[in-house]
Amino acid sequence: MDERDVVRTEEMLLNVGPQHPSTHGVFRLIVKISGETILDAEPVIGYLHRGTEKLAENLQYTQIIPYTDRLDYLAAMLNNYALCHTVEQALGVEIPERAEYLRVIVMELQRIASHLLFIGAYLMDLGAMGPFLYAFQERERIVQMFNEICGARLTYNYMRIGGVRWDAPPGWLDQVREFIPYMRERLKMYDDLITGNEIFLNRVRGVGKYDTETALAYGLSGINLRCTGLEWDLRRKKPYSIYDRFDFEIPVGKNGDCFDRYYLHLLEMRESLKIVEQAIEQIPSGPVLGKVPKLIRVPAGEYYSGIEGARGEIGFYIVSDGKDKPYRLKIRKPSFVNLQLLPELLRGESMSNLLAILGAVDIVLGEVDA
Amino acid sequence: MWQWQTQPLTWSTFLAMLIGTVVILLLALGVVTYGILAERKVLGWMQGRIGPNRVGPFGLLQTVADVLKLFIKEDVVPAAADRPLFLLAPVLAFVPAFMALAVIPFSMQHIFTAGIGTGLLYYLALSALTIHGVMLGGWASNNKYSLIGGMRSAAQMLSYEVPLGLSLVGVALLAGSLNLNDVVRAQQHLGLWFIIPQFLGFCVFIVAATAELNRTPFDLPEAESELVAGYHTEYSGFRWAFFMLTEYVYLFAMAGLTATLFLGGWSGPWLPGWLWFALKAAAFFFFQFWLRNTMPRIRADQLMTLCWKVLLPLGLVNLVLTAVLKAVLLKG
Amino acid sequence: MLGFLKGLSVTLSQLPKKKVTIQYPDVQPEWPERFRGVHRFIPEDCTVCNQCARICPTNCISLSGTRDENKKLRIDTYDINFDICILCGLCTEVCPTECILMSDTFELANESRDKLYLDMHWLYENQLRYTQRHPERVAQEAAKDHEEAPAT
Ligand code: SF4
Ligand code: SF4
């Protein structure tokens, strides 16, 4: 069925992006195609480069937090936490219980919001309009709750080293509690709307397949790794914060195809809801900001810690020379790492699978380019 | 004067024809205007939004404003485009779509309908003509996305012409005529809409019609997430408006055809004929909007598989069944 | 064949649901108290300690002050460049007298970048506008100040 054997075709270079409706930001992909077959693909990134890592060298640790908001702007809470966690580890400060619980709640809500947007945008890539706007309705509720707790809808700047900026306003936890059953119901709706749709299944089943070895060789993490069947979730494998107190499952895929990647997003939202539910029940009262010096100086040395972000392992690597600013900050950006697999995945595929594959890799350009 | 179909051609009948054409053109424009608005409204409602509501009461003038905007836009012709073809393509696409309306019997009195005996064939032939416009547009734009869009479009519309035609044959067999008026009369006479005896044919028809119209889930030629906008990527201003117009006029024609062939056209109790027709056409419109909100896009190779391996055999089976049915019924 | 019919029924069931659109700008969105919009500034309270300018990660605050006859520092100019301000709220966090605060003004769009350079007067007016819109919130702030005052 290789059409190159049947019809003589000429190679053509197709420029997908940087201004293209479904590159999710400014991303350019140079694809070499012959007929409808992709011979090679080369991602061109950097359109959104802001030099976050370099900027951070001139900023105090607290000042870096708002910059992390702007990496993966769909999951800013998780980025916030990743940075704070690394610094806290370095300082060895104790974080008040309530702060930990609040962090977990907002992080899991953030994960849901981010996954929702993935599902919406992915379906949009595949041509369905409805799910995108449905996803935004639930996301709006989450974002509105974030707005109430920290005053911003996208760039939260909520976590502080040693805790969180604000305690939950009165009634906030009840709002979250009410949100859980609503979200469960909506998840069922997505299941009905998308998972069973034959057209959708035909487009994603068996498309963009890779196995665990390839995934590990490319250093993938998050859902992109779990879809191959390897159960690797940092919340379980290297429990940070208070994740060891909750009962939740790590859903894994079987085939490593686009469908698994889609479906894991749906399943993970369910697990996140479980975590939020338990956290709300257990949350103690108390202070939300631990005892930290006003000017934070990280003792000289090198520190790394990674957490399970919405797209994979977000890690901050800090080299400190004992001053109040990092000597060097390196961010492990999951989108950036996951993107490396793309050319390999696309090679030999049909042109019409391009978007199904690109969408399922789930990149956020703010994070890729940093 | 109004019975021009059966009269010799004189000045007065010619005038009547002309008036008829203008009336249908205006009707088509009106339907398109409010069809687009209805689409946006229905989509909005299905997505928890309210849709256009700024221009005029309930946004009733939204499309008018949009069209006005398109008309006063600069008419851009890309430097590398094949100029004459580029200019010609939208017209080539639009004219046949509009001409197809001529055979649709809108109401019982059908004064504005050409009662030609080969109505169905005429419709099919014209709808095949539209493809030229689309393909030329894609070719002349000299843009890779346009080209792919245009080619996909041509491949898709040509392929689906076959099952579409096949599903129509069943209806023609039952009605015993290719004249659309006669088809409606046959249904009235039978007291049954053809959707029931021709259910299989109807299914094939609906799928093929959606594909012919390039609408979701078969909107590959203009898949915005893959091909930017397909064959009309390079078009702007009123040339682009022409393509849009074509699309919606064609949608209107297809709605008319569906109503006529399968839903009994203007026939129906109590209400006047034109209202029945409008209701049935509106149902088709609604179905298309509904699909658009729900379905992801089908993949190009699967599109062809569906056409040749599923729809075509089904169409043939339907044809055979209909023939047998008819033979048995006629004997019995 | 069942799958896509299910999907169709889902979308149809959404049709009569309540709509979520807010008719902005006719209807203004409700912002919570903590919302971080454009700053407001109360010049009388400022002690020109420069902490806000120092903490600002984008260096977008520039201020100057002079000593008056009682040797007290008074603010003369206070500009925020909203071209680069990221509305992180760190400045409001460090201010000892809580005289730089966030408001719920969020409409910043402008036809020129120069107009995004907002000075003390604009920021103070913004405070007045905020007082008008949310008298109860400002009263609460004042009450809290009053409570804390004897303690410090
Ligand atoms: S909000 Fe942040 S960026 Fe803006 S002035 Fe305050 S500290 Fe600077
Ligand atoms: S921190 Fe507050 S008191 Fe100090 S200079 Fe800034 S606004 Fe004035």
Side-chain angles (χ1 to χ4, degrees), chain C residues 41 46-52 63 78 95-97 99-100:
Chain C
F41 181 60
C46 179
T47 55
V48 202
C49 66
N50 208 22
Q51 286 202 46
C52 51
L63 53 88
Y78 192 97
C95 179
T97 56
C99 59
I100 181 86

Side-chain angles (χ1 to χ4, degrees), chain A residues 59 63 66-67 70 134 147-153 155-157 160 165-167 169 189 192-193 196 198, chain C residues 1-4 6-7 10-11 14 20 30-32 34-36 51 54-58 86 88 90 93:
Chain A
L59 294 171
Q63 290 178 322
Y67 279 86
R70 286 148 179 89
Y134 296 150
N147 196 359
E148 264 163 53
I149 201 170
C150 67
R153 291 163 54 87
T155 50
Y156 309 114
N157 189 17
R160 289 292 178 274
R165 167 78 175 89
W166 277 293
D167 196 354
M189 182 196 95
D192 285 347
L193 178 61
E198 284 79 9
Chain C
M1 226 29 192
L2 244 150
F4 81 86
K6 234 182 189 173
V10 167
T11 37
Q14 297 293 322
V20 292
E30 258 306 306
W31 295 121
R34 289 176 187 174
F35 183 70
R36 300 203 302 262
Q51 286 202 46
R54 257 202 321 235
I55 192 76
C56 176
T58 59
I86 53 178
C88 62
L90 287 179
E93 223 171 298

Side-chain angles (χ1 to χ4, degrees), chain A residues 27 29 38-43 45 207-228 255-258 261 311 332-349 354 356-363 368:
Chain A
F27 170 65
L29 194 66
I38 298 172
L39 299 180
D40 204 358
E42 188 193 334
I45 59 170
V207 170
K209 250 174 134 153
Y210 52 83
D211 54 14
T212 316
E213 271 95 83
T214 326
L216 287 175
Y218 276 91
L220 302 191
S221 51
I223 288 188
N224 282 310
L225 176 60
R226 285 195 288 277
C227 71
T228 62
N255 307 315
D257 57 4
C258 289
R261 262 162 270 163
R311 282 167 187 76
R332 188 204 188 274
K333 302 162 289 184
S335 289
F336 178 73
V337 179
N338 294 348
L339 186 63
Q340 311 309 315
L341 183 66
L342 193 63
E344 158 104 14
L345 269 187
L346 286 177
R347 229 162 271 148
E349 280 287 347
L354 170 72
I357 295 173
L358 173 64
V361 171
D362 191 16
I363 47 170
V368 174

Side-chain angles (χ1 to χ4, degrees), chain B residues 198-221:
Chain B
Q198 282 288 313
F199 188 69
L200 192 58
F202 177 72
C203 292
V204 174
F205 174 82
I206 271 288
V207 176
T210 313
E212 276 284 290
L213 292 171
N214 292 338
R215 290 191 63 88
T216 319
F218 305 101
D219 58 346
L220 291 118

Side-chain angles (χ1 to χ4, degrees), chain B residues 80-217:
Chain B
D82 187 335
R83 201 179 161 90
L85 284 184
F86 188 82
L87 301 188
L88 187 65
V91 183
L92 257 187
F94 175 68
V95 171
F98 176 59
M99 275 165 72
L101 286 180
V103 287
I104 308 286
F106 295 108
S107 77
M108 196 134 38
Q109 283 77 30
H110 54 263
I111 37 170
F112 296 134
T113 304
I116 39 180
T118 53
L120 266 180
L121 287 181
Y122 171 85
Y123 182 94
L124 280 178
L126 281 174
S127 80
L129 267 183
T130 314
I131 304 170
H132 293 90
V134 167
M135 211 167 85
L136 278 183
W139 164 259
S141 311
N142 204 356
N143 171 315
K144 287 166 188 167
Y145 289 117
S146 301
L147 186 64
I148 297 181
M151 290 303 156
R152 273 193 185 178
S153 209
Q156 176 181 336
M157 287 164 94
L158 276 178
S159 312
Y160 276 86
E161 201 87 332
V162 180
L164 187 75
L166 264 183
S167 61
L168 296 187
V169 176
V171 174
L173 258 184
L174 271 191
S177 166
L178 286 175
N179 186 326
L180 292 175
N181 284 332
D182 293 345
V183 174
V184 177
R185 271 197 216 101
Q187 295 182 58
Q188 211 177 16
H189 182 69
L190 196 66
L192 198 67
W193 293 354
F194 279 165
I195 183 171
I196 296 165
Q198 282 288 313
F199 188 69
L200 192 58
F202 177 72
C203 292
V204 174
F205 174 82
I206 271 288
V207 176
T210 313
E212 276 284 290
L213 292 171
N214 292 338
R215 290 191 63 88
T216 319

